[in-house]
Amino acid sequence: MSTFFQTLIVGLRLGSIYALIALGYTMVYGIIRLINFAHGDFIMVGGYTVIFTIPLVLRLGAPAWVSVLAAVVVCALVGMSTELIAYRPVRKKGTNMTALITAIAMSLFLENLAQAIPVIGPNPKVSTQIFRAGGIRFGTVTMEYTTIFTLIISAVIMLVLYTFTQKTRLGRAMRCVSEDKAAATLMGINVNHTILLTFGIGSALAAVAALMYLAQYPKVYTTMGGLLGLKAFVSAVLGGIGIIPGAMLGGIVIGLVESFTTSYISSSMADTFVFLILIIVLVIKPAGILGKNVGEKV
Amino acid sequence: MLEIKDLNVYYGVIHALKGLSLTVNDGELVSLIGSNGAGKTSTLHAISGLLPVASGSILLDGKDLLKTAPNKILSLGLAHVPEGRHVFARLTVEENLLMGAYIERNQKKIQENLEKIYSYFPRLKERYRQLAGTLSGGEQQMLATGRALMTNPSIVLMDEPSMGLSPLLVKEIFSIIGTLHENGITILLVEQNAKMALAVADRAYVLETGTITMSGIASALASDDRVRKAYLGQ
Ligand SMILES: Nc1ncnc2c1ncn2[C@@H]1O[C@H](COP(=O)(O)OP(=O)(O)O)[C@@H](O)[C@H]1O
Ligand SMILES: [Mg+2]
């Protein structure tokens, strides 16, 4: 029984990291119908920012996790620059296919750029302890502080994000732009600013995810966003791409599938099961768990 | 006053508007009639900045709309009810109306306008929490109209408000348009339903393949033989 609970907790922790990343994919897809392949690499950018700012933060007497603030700023800037420099010009001139190719190019560009920076280089870097070590025992189950913080922070962020999109003026503007750009313009909404804001928020979430990922797996390397980003993307599709609660749900489901497969079957099967679940769900419900099967809106 | 002079618009090689000129004076209800594909929607899109203009000028109270960012045009007092309504389907009725007041920051004014719209369209009030996508066509038209009125615009462009509605609803929508006009709102109305559009308007223009071919007092046009033959089916 204690294995079960331990597995459940690990799954939820992993799942909330996937969910935070999946939100970035889904928000960008929702607003410009683009799969932002570079989003996984924003995690890498966040990871390095955390690693490089931890010594500074510690010298100031603050706990290591405070470095996430720097990562949030850097990731938001990188995300918004990507939109401004690469995606916006292509969106004006090109087709969906050119935009997709640009996204793949951006991903490769960020990974190679990182390698070319001397302080980063090709070898992985290891992070120091991020949250305090140890944990709290509940009967036979131990909850590490890392887990507790990860779960609480993700839950709070998702709640805030959901409230923002549902209840605030800017959040409503975002939903309008994702639904109908011409009508949004007629309402006086600056569509380009709204898209930029979406990139900023999505990339900032990737920075938080990077911190939590490092808290668990303290290693940063330039291609770390690859598989991590892919699984988060799978989460977004599983939940219903473009739907914010879908990304949250999809992330949790993928995290649980991965941790239960690892515990009860074999860790080498975990990724296989993740993609198997995706295929099964998409065959039954092509638009994802929370998606409406109405075909793409044009 | 809205003044359009010698407007040219292209879609690639298609010359959609060929030197179009028209004027809407303050307080007037002007109808722009013409058959499908004549260029009515293109005209309204050019005014609202949704469509690039090759040459010509569009002035609103002397301000050059072609030099105004599309999302700033509403704040100059020009609202647009687009063809096909374009309500935000996944937002509720009330959220749609609030989006109409996106540029307004004064909460008190927003609430006042919301109440005013609900008094124009009691049916919207009954359904304020319903998703706009689940409304009937007529209700969506009311919502799109109400949404455009949320900032007290001085001029409203309306693109085929009667499209796809039952005869009874068409009557209702036109009676609302008449009321808005009586309340002093300037309106540029685009319609394929020439009969109703001419009945409610002060003046009208006839648009044929991108060119204005006739214009004048609406009642005079309604009794013109060419208009009767081509647009009124008589
Ligand atoms: N997006 C577009 N691409 C190419 N041609 C268009 C487009 N929209 C309209 N047109 C053409 O421009 C002309 C005018 O269209 P439109 O303004 O929609 O007419 P109306 O509103 O009077 O029916 C038509 O010939 C139409 O085929
Ligand atoms: Mg039209």
Side-chain angles (χ1 to χ4, degrees), chain B residues 9-12 14-17 33-45 51 83 159-160 190 192 207 209-210:
Chain B
V9 164
Y10 295 82
Y11 293 98
I14 302 171
H15 197 174
L17 299 180
I33 61 173
S35 39
N36 197 10
K40 305 182 296 299
T41 299
S42 303
T43 306
L44 298 195
H45 278 198
L51 194 60
E83 180 180 84
D159 199 341
E160 309 233 20
V190 154
Q192 274 192 66
L207 184 61
T209 57

Side-chain angles (χ1 to χ4, degrees), chain B residues 108-133:
Chain B
K108 202 170 139 252
K109 261 196 189 155
I110 294 176
Q111 282 309 317
E112 278 170 19
N113 276 330
L114 199 57
E115 287 312 313
K116 189 183 74 185
I117 301 302
Y118 282 147
S119 71
Y120 273 137
F121 307 105
R123 218 165 328 160
L124 295 183
K125 184 163 193 173
E126 287 164 27
R127 292 159 195 268
Y128 77 106
R129 293 183 66 173
Q130 197 170 323
L131 290 183

Side-chain angles (χ1 to χ4, degrees), chain A residues 33 166 169-170 172-173 175-176 178-180 182-190 297, chain B residues 48 50 70-71 74 80 82 86-91 95 98-100 102-103 105 147:
Chain A
R33 303 292 180 272
Q166 293 303 312
R169 175 174 171 272
L170 269 183
R172 270 199 303 269
R175 285 189 284 147
C176 289
S178 88
E179 203 175 309
D180 191 330
T185 304
L186 294 180
M187 302 300 111
I189 298 171
N190 186 324
K297 284 221 162 146
Chain B
S48 288
L50 298 178
N71 65 308
L74 180 63
H80 184 159
H86 285 260
V87 296
F88 299 107
R90 281 170 286 184
L91 270 62
E95 285 177 326
L98 291 175
M99 284 324 296
Y102 177 77
I103 59 168
R105 293 305 199 97
R147 186 179 65 176

Side-chain angles (χ1 to χ4, degrees), chain A residues 107-177:
Chain A
S107 167
L108 293 171
F109 172 76
L110 285 174
E111 286 171 23
N112 287 293
L113 180 72
Q115 279 202 20
I117 298 175
V119 290
I120 293 177
N123 296 322
K125 292 221 174 328
V126 177
S127 155
T128 45
Q129 183 80 29
I130 291 194
F131 296 115
R132 59 188 278 203
I136 306 174
R137 277 191 82 80
F138 298 96
T140 54
V141 182
T142 310
M143 257 188 134
E144 290 169 47
Y145 287 117
T146 299
T147 307
I148 296 173
F149 287 127
T150 302
L151 293 180
I152 292 177
I153 295 172
S154 330
V156 168
I157 288 181
M158 289 190 230
L159 200 67
V160 168
L161 184 70
Y162 190 72
T163 313
F164 168 75
T165 54
Q166 293 303 312
K167 302 282 178 213
T168 67
R169 175 174 171 272
L170 269 183
R172 270 199 303 269
M174 243 171 176
R175 285 189 284 147
C176 289
V177 171

